Amino acid sequence: MKLSVFSAPRSFTSYDQIIDFCVKNNIPGLELFPMLELTDDNPETARRIAQKARAAGLEITCYSAGVDLAADDGVDRVAQLKRWADCAAAAGSPFLHHTLALSLTHNYGPVTFGQLREKVIPRAREVFDYAKDKGVLCLYEDQGMYFNGSARFGDFLDRLDRPAGVCLDLGNCLFVDESPETFAGSFLPLVKHVHLKDYLVRPAGMPHPGETCYTTAAGDYLLEVPMGHGSVHFEKVFAMLLRHGYDGWFSTEYTGPGDAAELELGVGNVRRYYENAKRLAAIGSTAGLLSAE
């Protein structure tokens, strides 16, 4: 399993600590994000961090960025993404993964998905073409309440009219009440990178779990938990990816309660699930685990 770290435990204050965590836990990859000392969107900073990572034996697997291309100041957002594309190129990352409409609620006002899509697509095309000229491929993930779920995400990719890749996020599709295996099965040929995270789904109608929870489109509650403690069936999706020949990186993403110990716990779980999935894929399980293909 080619494992990488994306988001860092909350107590970490530098990329040096993230690199040390990767080395300690035998994690060979690092995914960069504009946080800590990398928030200055300076390509030289990205290059220095990447050099430190490689000196420690790590590979730079992706450069991710959160941006709202549906916002009114779209020109500024495009310019920011171009600077991050420069950072990705300087770091030697093969990919720039960025969000589209960042909202986790329906807060864009009385607009349709189609109206948001028409704002986002020309902006995404401009960034895609710029990054391509830098030798960096743009990836898009299922994220938020709008560009999420098989139907809407597929519609976006069709209309984008660019050879984009998919960053498969195994937790985000739960926000629109779709299972990770259903979403993954719709885009297997396009998956270039995978984000690993987990949520516990608590049905609507139960008492509200508190301010740390999210709410899905159907009104259920999502609580971020260490990988393996929630509702994501990692073995199913891993087996699907393996059967399809996926040989890319799996990048951990955990920003929930706790610290490095919770991330280490999740890392141990996904490694175990991956080994189980290899056996399932090898024997061509007929128990319904691969039915989403």
Side-chain angles (χ1 to χ4, degrees):
M1 184 181 202
K2 294 167 60 176
L3 200 59
S4 168
V5 167
F6 174 20
S7 57
R10 295 176 181 179
S11 66
F12 284 15
T13 58
S14 72
Y15 264 97
D16 286 341
Q17 289 179 288
I18 303 174
I19 291 169
D20 289 344
F21 177 89
C22 290
V23 172
K24 174 189 172 186
N25 289 280
N26 195 29
I27 295 171
L30 175 64
E31 180 171 346
L32 300 179
F33 184 79
M35 63 183 182
L36 304 175
E37 64 265 43
L38 196 51
T39 54
D40 61 2
D41 64 39
N42 185 333
E44 287 306 312
T45 304
R47 193 191 316 275
R48 284 196 301 271
I49 294 171
Q51 287 173 342
K52 287 183 180 179
R54 291 192 179 96
L58 307 184
E59 186 171 334
I60 302 301
T61 62
C62 187
Y63 193 107
S64 284
V67 68
D68 191 348
L69 283 183
D72 291 336
D73 58 343
V75 173
D76 293 338
R77 308 298 173 105
V78 167
Q80 176 68 79
L81 275 172
K82 288 180 178 179
R83 291 194 294 273
W84 283 329
D86 292 337
C87 289
S93 171
F95 306 126
L96 171 65
H97 151 251
H98 69 82
T99 55
L100 298 166
L102 197 54
S103 176
L104 297 178
T105 60
H106 290 96
N107 68 348
Y108 286 100
V111 297
T112 66
F113 167 69
Q115 289 170 321
L116 283 178
R117 181 192 61 210
E118 294 312 303
K119 290 176 65 177
V120 164
I121 282 180
R123 298 169 182 176
R125 286 174 180 161
E126 184 176 347
V127 175
F128 183 98
D129 294 341
Y130 181 89
K132 182 181 178 183
D133 287 342
K134 299 289 182 178
V136 176
L137 177 68
C138 280
L139 308 183
Y140 309 98
E141 74 172 8
D142 46 312
Q143 197 274 340
M145 291 294 185
Y146 293 89
F147 293 85
N148 202 346
S150 299
R152 286 184 172 184
F153 191 76
D155 177 76
F156 162 75
L157 289 178
D158 288 344
R159 294 171 185 267
L160 181 66
D161 192 30
R162 296 292 189 275
V166 170
C167 175
L168 174 64
D169 190 296
L170 301 191
N172 282 350
C173 51
L174 296 173
F175 280 84
V176 292
D177 308 284
E178 184 167 294
S179 73
E181 55 268 29
T182 296
F183 184 87
S186 299
F187 303 102
L188 283 173
L190 300 177
V191 175
K192 303 294 185 184
H193 192 64
V194 178
H195 279 174
L196 303 176
K197 68 168 175 261
D198 206 355
Y199 292 103
L200 183 65
V201 179
R202 186 179 176 97
M206 294 187 69
H208 194 286
E211 62 182 13
T212 59
C213 80
Y214 301 100
T215 304
T216 75
D220 292 338
Y221 305 123
L222 297 181
L223 293 169
E224 187 173 1
V225 292
M227 295 170 294
H229 285 199
S231 302
V232 173
H233 199 318
F234 289 99
E235 287 183 10
K236 271 189 181 182
V237 183
F238 290 166
M240 291 169 62
L241 289 165
L242 286 165
R243 286 288 297 272
H244 199 77
Y246 178 75
D247 62 355
W249 290 88
F250 295 86
S251 200
T252 64
E253 182 178 356
Y254 180 69
T255 58
D259 210 320
E262 280 68 29
L263 180 54
E264 289 177 350
L265 174 65
V267 165
N269 283 336
V270 295
R271 282 175 163 156
R272 176 165 47 88
Y273 297 149
Y274 188 79
E275 292 304 311
N276 291 342
K278 284 166 62 176
R279 289 189 286 272
L280 288 173
I283 65 176
S285 172
T286 58
L289 289 179
L290 307 178
S291 59
E293 287 187 280

